[in-house]
Amino acid sequence: QVQLVESGGGLVQPGGSLRLSCAASRFILDNYNIGWFRQAPGKEREGVSCISRPDGRPSYADSVQGRFTISRDSAKNTVHLQMDSLKPEDTAVYYCAAVWGSGYECFEYEYDYWGQGTQVTVSS
């Protein structure tokens, strides 16, 4: 059973930073496209950032471009989402997800495997 576990969420003031991590057991994250998604109360889930395989090309939603950075840590079988200059509208449950495949922009996939999410709250 593929398992993804997110960590790193919490409460942060506007303008602050958090780093989310997505760790996997039983499969190698480098072999998958990895996406970060979020869902705020009363809103639909939206794609935040993703990283393709095998080229490692990152993609970002317009709302986070220039503030968030996705990266792979192959040695730790982990994908990170560095979130800077956080805003109250970034408040949501953040999920990482994985899908096998190559040749497409990573937001184009239907993701197969999902973590349980980690809460990010941006508030003063």
Side-chain angles (χ1 to χ4, degrees), residues 67-80:
R67 299 189 297 123
F68 290 11
T69 304
I70 192 170
S71 62
R72 293 186 186 271
D73 184 342
S74 301
K76 296 183 178 180
N77 200 28
T78 299
V79 172
H80 298 294

Side-chain angles (χ1 to χ4, degrees), residues 29 31-37 46-61 65 70-72 79 81 96-114:
L29 286 179
N31 294 335
Y32 289 78
N33 302 281
I34 304 298
W36 283 98
F37 298 80
E46 63 173 341
V48 175
S49 179
C50 57
I51 189 164
S52 300
R53 67 164 297 273
D55 58 4
R57 183 164 55 97
S59 295
Y60 299 96
Q65 180 75 47
I70 192 170
S71 62
R72 293 186 186 271
V79 172
L81 183 68
C96 70
V99 63
W100 181 265
S102 64
Y104 294 94
E105 199 278 333
C106 50
F107 275 137
E108 295 184 34
Y109 292 99
E110 289 283 341
Y111 281 73
D112 294 320
Y113 307 107
W114 293 82

